[in-house]
């Protein structure tokens, strides 16, 4: 859930985004109440950093508001349990169970005939494959594993080993994009909300049901984030003026939703006399970045004929044979632009 994260720190939208993520957390709690969920599983990184005591109290108050739902959580690499962590002494409500140990442990929930296993991070990084031998122990009819990791620095996960551990379901955390690792068994819910500009795609939670007598485990991803980060390309040509570019950007935002947050990339070949005002464009809506990779659409043959005997002509000759979309052609365009600007300055 990454509570406390401040996406786009330093921008005006950062504080409101942080509040939105808390609000999405509250909405998930309401879903649990409405659906009368038996279990809410948090596979690490409830917080984006070490939680403050008041933040733990806020989170626990929300968990306590759904007494019919058993909440089980572990600490991930972002909110790992330091020596001075409030996690060590905090007293959760009776329906909340934190598996805070460094080694695999379990909480048994007899009313649900269920046991949930897991371990918490006590360091930012754990390179040992701790889940390879984290087998279900047969304590209850239904057994679930909470696991956080999946890369070389954060508990590497072997898909085949995971599938053979004997669990009914494995709730995975750490990777921010939702995906199924083992069909009908193990899945990453992903981050509940996107936490930075590269956190693109849908975000939400996984909703599922375990029925040992009716086919085992079934689950699906539920999109739930209040906003998405969207990367858009805008193709320009010689006819694209600054005003026309603004219209193209506004149309992309209308198509993809005004509530979302955008990063734009400008591509194509523009009129050499046009300079786009990226700062003005960036003040529209929820735009966090605009990159301009356009190139001036020079008529190289005409430019060469008119400058055969000067520095511009010699420079064009040095790039003879460069393909239009190559790095070399890009360097040619940049060099020509610099030489033309120098000529204007001398004039």
């Amino acid at each position: 859930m990454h509570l406390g994260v401040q996406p786009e720190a330093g921008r005006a939208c950062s504080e409101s985004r942080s509040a939105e993520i808390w609000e999405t957390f509250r909405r998930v709690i309401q879903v649990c109440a409405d659906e009368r969920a038996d279990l809410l599983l948090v596979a690490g990184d409830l917080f984006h950093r070490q939680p403050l005591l008041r933040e733990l109290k806020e989170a626990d108050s929300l968990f306590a508001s759904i007494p019919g739902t058993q909440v089980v959580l572990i600490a991930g690499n972002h909110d790992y349990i330091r020596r001075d962590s409030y996690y060590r002494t905090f007293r959760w409500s009776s329906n909340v169970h934190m598996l805070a140990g460094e080694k695999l442990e379990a909480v048994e929930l007899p009313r649900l005939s269920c046991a949930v296993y897991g371990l918490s991070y006590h360091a930012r990084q754990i390179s040992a494959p701790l889940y390879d031998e984290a087998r279900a122990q047969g304590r209850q009819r239904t057994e679930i594993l909470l696991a956080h990791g999946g890369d070389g620095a954060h508990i590497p996960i072997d898909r085949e080993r995971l599938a053979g551990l004997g669990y009914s379901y494995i709730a995975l955390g750490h990777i921010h994009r939702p995906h199924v690792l083992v069909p009908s068994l193990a899945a990453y819910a992903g981050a509940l909300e996107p936490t930075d500009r590269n956190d693109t795609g849908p975000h939400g939670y996984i909703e599922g049901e375990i029925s040992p007598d009716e086919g085992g485990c079934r689950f699906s991803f539920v999109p739930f984030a209040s906003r998405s980060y969207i990367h858009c390309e805008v193709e320009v040509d010689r006819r694209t003026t600054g005003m026309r570019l603004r219209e193209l950007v506004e149309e992309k935002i209308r198509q993809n939703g005004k509530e979302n947050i955008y990063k734009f990339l400008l591509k194509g070949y523009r009129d050499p006399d046009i300079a786009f005002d990226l700062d003005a464009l960036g003040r529209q809506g929820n735009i966090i970045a605009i990159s301009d990779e356009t190139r001036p659409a020079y008529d190289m043959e005409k430019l060469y004929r008119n400058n055969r005997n000067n520095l511009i002509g010699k420079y064009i000759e040095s790039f003879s044979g460069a393909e239009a979309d190559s790095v070399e052609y890009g360097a040619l365009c940049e060099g020509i632009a610099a030489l033309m600007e120098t000529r204007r300055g001398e004039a």
Side-chain angles (χ1 to χ4, degrees):
M1 295 189 190
H2 288 276
L3 299 173
V5 68
Q6 290 188 307
E8 310 307 326
R11 290 179 170 268
C13 65
S14 180
E15 188 172 336
S16 62
R17 277 295 293 143
S18 185
E20 281 177 350
I21 292 171
W22 272 95
E23 174 59 19
T24 301
F25 174 40
R26 187 200 66 76
R27 290 193 293 119
V28 165
I29 298 297
Q30 187 60 50
V31 169
C32 290
D34 294 342
E35 299 289 336
R36 298 184 179 181
D38 292 311
L39 276 174
L40 172 59
L41 304 170
V42 182
D45 292 347
L46 173 62
F47 292 93
H48 188 67
R49 41 145 177 80
Q50 292 297 309
L52 303 174
L53 183 57
R54 62 176 175 79
E55 291 174 324
L56 281 173
K57 290 181 177 180
E58 289 287 349
D60 184 60
S61 175
L62 286 168
F63 290 145
S65 71
I66 47 171
T69 299
Q70 298 298 307
V71 180
V72 188
L73 69 152
I74 57 175
N77 61 297
H78 277 269
D79 57 353
Y80 72 98
I81 301 177
R82 299 191 320 199
R83 288 184 178 180
D84 59 350
S85 174
Y86 285 113
Y87 272 145
R88 291 182 178 271
T89 56
F90 188 74
R91 297 190 64 178
W92 296 95
S93 295
S94 60
N95 65 317
V96 183
H97 315 275
M98 185 169 192
L99 301 173
E102 294 182 71
K103 296 182 179 180
L104 191 73
E105 57 183 322
V107 57
E108 295 188 52
L109 307 168
R111 183 180 68 83
L112 301 176
S113 299
C114 177
V116 182
Y117 297 72
L119 57 87
S120 283
Y121 278 63
H122 285 240
R124 290 182 186 277
Q125 297 184 347
I126 301 176
S127 58
L130 299 182
Y131 301 121
D132 281 3
E133 303 300 329
R135 301 184 188 283
Q137 298 167 15
R139 298 186 180 196
Q140 295 287 339
R141 187 181 187 194
T142 296
E143 301 199 297
I144 294 170
L145 175 65
L146 281 180
H148 189 94
D151 61 45
H154 305 94
I155 312 186
I157 290 176
D158 184 298
R159 178 178 171 175
E160 291 185 4
R161 284 181 178 269
L162 206 65
L165 294 177
Y167 291 99
S168 303
Y169 177 65
I170 300 172
L172 295 164
H174 181 59
I175 307 301
H176 280 206
R177 295 187 179 183
H179 69 278
V180 176
L181 190 65
V182 181
S184 301
L185 176 64
Y188 285 95
L192 184 62
E193 285 267 357
T195 60
D196 65 50
R197 64 184 63 185
N198 295 314
D199 227 350
T200 56
H203 289 78
Y205 61 87
I206 283 179
E207 181 179 70
E209 183 175 355
I210 299 174
S211 302
D213 297 329
E214 299 178 16
C217 183
R218 298 184 301 275
F219 56 82
S220 60
F221 174 74
V222 180
F224 202 68
S226 58
R227 301 177 192 267
S228 295
Y229 284 91
I230 296 178
H231 294 185
C232 287
E233 283 192 9
V234 176
E235 193 73 23
V236 306
D237 57 32
R238 288 185 64 95
R239 298 167 297 176
T240 307
T241 62
M243 187 61 69
R244 176 57 182 155
L245 177 60
R246 178 171 179 169
E247 292 172 353
L248 291 172
V249 167
E250 289 175 344
E251 179 60 26
K252 289 282 187 181
I253 293 174
R254 279 194 297 271
Q255 290 173 354
N256 292 283
K258 293 182 179 180
E259 75 281 3
N260 294 318
I261 304 171
Y262 292 88
K263 181 179 178 181
F264 280 97
L265 175 62
L266 310 183
K267 304 279 286 186
Y269 292 86
R270 69 182 187 279
D271 185 324
D273 295 322
I274 292 290
F276 299 127
D277 188 345
L278 300 187
D279 289 338
L281 276 175
R283 289 192 288 271
Q284 295 184 76
N286 296 318
I287 299 176
I288 55 169
I290 301 178
S291 299
D292 186 356
E293 292 186 3
T294 61
R295 294 171 179 173
Y298 292 116
D299 183 338
M300 289 299 178
E301 291 185 6
K302 180 178 179 181
L303 200 59
Y304 177 68
R305 286 197 305 270
N306 293 339
N307 295 276
R308 188 188 303 268
N309 298 317
N310 61 29
L311 183 57
I312 291 176
K314 298 298 181 185
Y315 189 75
I316 294 173
E317 282 182 6
S318 69
F319 285 88
S320 177
E323 296 291 335
D325 291 324
S326 66
V327 173
E328 292 78 9
Y329 190 81
L332 170 60
C333 290
E334 291 179 10
I336 293 295
L339 291 170
M340 298 287 281
E341 191 62 34
T342 300
R343 174 184 284 184
R344 291 190 190 97
E346 291 174 350

